[in-house]
Amino acid sequence: MWTGAILAGGQSRRLGGLNKAGIILHPGGASVLDRQLARLRRVVDRTIIIANDAERFTNAGVPVIPDMVPDAGALGALYTAVHAAGTDWTLVLACDMPFVSERLLAHLVSVGRSADIAIPRTARGLEPLCATYSRRSAVELRRLIDEKQFRLSDVARIPGLNVHEVGRDELEAFGPEEVLFFNLNTPDDHIRAIDIDGEYHYPS
């Protein structure tokens, strides 16, 4: 059984505190969160949101779970997602990635069944916030937190875990990686995302 976990706890300082998950890229369109929820529902058995401000997501229709470890950043949210999922595997997705496709998510689930961590590697490096994690990886994620090793890239180097890197050749089948893994972090990113949305006509 699979859980999809959307990590939505960032403070979005570079976007002036704007709720990234609530951004709508074209008039009458779905928000980034609604896009992600729709795609995840077609790929996993259940979906949760990891966020400390539950009020922002009262209309999402899925459980909202606060960080289990205060002040542990994105790694803490990742650990919370895997620990709280209660299923054998968790597909994790950052809330600021509007163009991750259903086909890519389904592929990650497919390869993730035989690994503790299935993680894409793009030109910019590993993508630990669009990856899959087994239930047993939660213990090791917590160990990293307890040892104050907060770099997300460290998750792919945990000894004793079976890590499958989804390489660039493998990713090519799903579209341009600079689109699939695009992050909404700044006002310029917001403008670029609107252009990408119009160019590629991304479906919900």
Side-chain angles (χ1 to χ4, degrees):
M1 188 171 179
W2 281 83
T3 296
I6 297 174
L7 307 189
Q11 296 185 22
S12 189
R13 290 189 181 93
R14 287 184 287 173
L15 268 174
L18 185 67
N19 179 13
K20 295 179 182 181
I23 290 175
I24 295 173
L25 298 179
H26 63 265
S31 69
V32 173
L33 177 66
D34 286 340
R35 291 175 180 223
Q36 292 184 334
L37 287 171
R39 292 166 191 160
L40 286 170
R41 286 190 187 104
R42 296 190 287 263
V43 173
V44 298
D45 302 291
R46 62 188 292 266
T47 305
I48 59 178
I49 294 172
I50 309 301
N52 290 322
D53 186 1
E55 289 186 7
R56 283 189 171 191
F57 306 100
T58 53
N59 296 322
V62 300
V64 182
I65 300 169
D67 288 336
M68 298 177 65
V69 184
D71 304 318
L75 182 60
L78 175 57
Y79 163 72
T80 300
V82 179
H83 181 84
T87 51
D88 290 334
W89 292 281
T90 305
L91 171 59
V92 170
L93 182 59
C95 73
D96 62 355
M97 302 178 76
F99 305 120
V100 175
S101 69
E102 178 184 341
R103 288 180 60 238
L104 174 58
L105 295 175
H107 181 71
L108 291 176
V109 165
S110 177
V111 298
R113 289 190 177 95
S114 57
D116 290 307
I117 299 174
I119 184 168
R121 179 181 286 279
T122 66
R124 68 183 182 186
L126 295 169
E127 300 287 347
L129 299 187
C130 180
T132 70
Y133 297 85
S134 71
R135 187 202 301 261
R136 80 186 194 106
S137 69
V139 173
E140 295 301 323
L141 294 173
R142 181 57 192 253
R143 180 183 59 78
L144 290 179
I145 292 171
D146 291 342
E147 294 176 358
K148 301 191 183 305
Q149 299 181 45
F150 295 120
R151 290 182 304 178
L152 284 172
S153 58
D154 286 344
V155 304
R157 293 191 286 269
I158 297 174
L161 292 186
N162 176 15
V163 178
H164 173 80
E165 285 194 12
V166 183
R168 299 182 68 191
D169 290 345
E170 197 172 343
L171 292 171
E172 281 182 359
F174 306 103
E177 65 180 43
E178 65 272 16
V179 174
L180 291 170
F181 298 97
F182 182 89
N183 293 106
L184 273 167
N185 289 317
T186 68
D188 285 344
D189 291 339
H190 190 182
I191 294 169
R192 176 60 183 143
I194 292 171
D195 291 340
I196 291 173
D197 193 62
E199 181 180 353
Y200 288 91
H201 303 289
Y202 263 77
S204 298

